Amino acid sequence: MMDIIRRLCFFIFFFLGTALYAFYKTQPDSLNPTLDTDAVARLLDFEADTPLAIRDNAMMELFYSSGLRLSELAALRWDQVDPASGLVRVTGKGNKDRIVPVGSRALDALARWHRSRGSLAAAGETALFVSRRGTRLSARAVEDRLHRRLAALVDRRTDQFALQALEERLHARIVPAVAFPTHAGLHPE
C-alpha cells in the first residue's frame, strides 16, 4: 500500500513539475524594452509652432519627465499641477493619490501649453490636455499622438524596422515608468 502511495505521489509531482516548468518557460525571460536616450531625444526634439504641436510637446515632456502612466496623463487637470514646486498630484491605480516630481523642461513645455491652450479649450474645461474640439483627450488619443510622433521620426519607406523597434520599446507602459534620471530635471542633450 505504501509503495502505491509513493508511486502516486511521484507521478503527481512529476506531472505538476512538468506543467509548472512549461508554464514558466513560456514567460518572457527579460524585462520589457525601454526607449534609449537617443530615441527619447529624437522623440522630444521637434518644432512646436502650432497649439496642437505645443500640446503634444508638453504631453511628451511631462510623460517622459514624470514617468506617469498613460491613463494618469490623460486624466490630469490643471489644478493638479504646481509649477512653483515642480510637482504633480496624480490619482493612480486603486484611486490612490501620489505626488510626482516634474523636470524643468516639462515645466517649460507646460507653461508654453498653458499660454496657447485657450485657443483650443472649451469654456469650463479643467483637463490639462484638450483636443481640437476643446474636450479632454482620451488615453487612446494620447497614445495615438505618441505613435504618430514615433512614425514621424523615421522614413517609413526606408526604415520600417526602426519604426517597429521604436514602437515596441514605447509599448512597455506605454513607456515603462521610465528608468531615466529625469526626476532631477535631467534630459539627454
Side-chain angles (χ1 to χ4, degrees):
M1 182 67 167
M2 196 58 132
D3 189 49
I4 294 173
I5 293 173
R6 192 170 1 120
R7 286 184 182 183
L8 184 60
C9 288
F10 171 78
F11 281 112
I12 290 173
F13 287 118
F14 175 79
F15 288 116
L16 182 63
T18 304
L20 287 174
Y21 176 78
F23 173 77
Y24 283 111
K25 192 64 178 169
T26 61
Q27 300 302 312
D29 293 335
S30 63
L31 296 174
N32 290 330
T34 59
L35 290 171
D36 61 17
T37 309
D38 293 335
V40 171
R42 288 184 305 193
L43 183 67
L44 298 176
D45 186 30
F46 65 97
E47 193 64 36
D49 51 357
T50 66
L52 293 175
I54 292 169
R55 178 205 61 197
D56 290 350
N57 184 32
M59 277 190 318
M60 289 180 212
E61 287 283 354
L62 181 59
F63 197 41
Y64 170 73
S65 172
S66 60
L68 296 175
R69 293 178 182 91
L70 185 65
S71 59
E72 293 171 342
L73 181 71
L76 278 176
R77 299 182 316 269
W78 272 111
D79 62 343
Q80 294 175 291
V81 178
D82 184 7
S85 66
L87 298 172
V88 174
R89 184 175 32 88
V90 180
T91 303
K93 288 184 174 181
N95 211 19
K96 295 180 181 176
D97 285 347
R98 61 190 172 104
I99 306 295
V100 179
V102 178
S104 60
R105 284 184 55 173
L107 290 171
D108 292 343
L110 284 171
R112 283 193 309 277
W113 167 236
H114 186 62
R115 289 190 296 272
S116 60
R117 180 181 177 271
S119 64
L120 292 176
E125 179 60 64
T126 60
L128 181 58
F129 298 112
V130 295
S131 68
R132 264 185 204 147
R133 296 183 319 259
T135 59
R136 176 181 301 278
L137 275 179
S138 67
R140 181 65 66 198
V142 173
E143 181 180 8
D144 182 57
R145 299 308 308 157
L146 289 167
H147 281 286
R148 285 176 191 239
R149 181 65 197 132
L150 281 175
L153 293 178
V154 294
D155 180 11
R156 283 182 178 255
R157 288 169 286 139
T158 61
D159 213 354
Q160 182 66 31
F161 293 114
L163 175 64
Q164 289 173 351
L166 282 172
E167 284 183 344
E168 287 171 9
R169 290 178 184 170
L170 176 70
H171 261 316
R173 171 178 207 150
I174 242 175
V175 178
V178 193
F180 298 111
T182 57
H183 292 314
L186 303 175
H187 278 268
E189 296 299 322

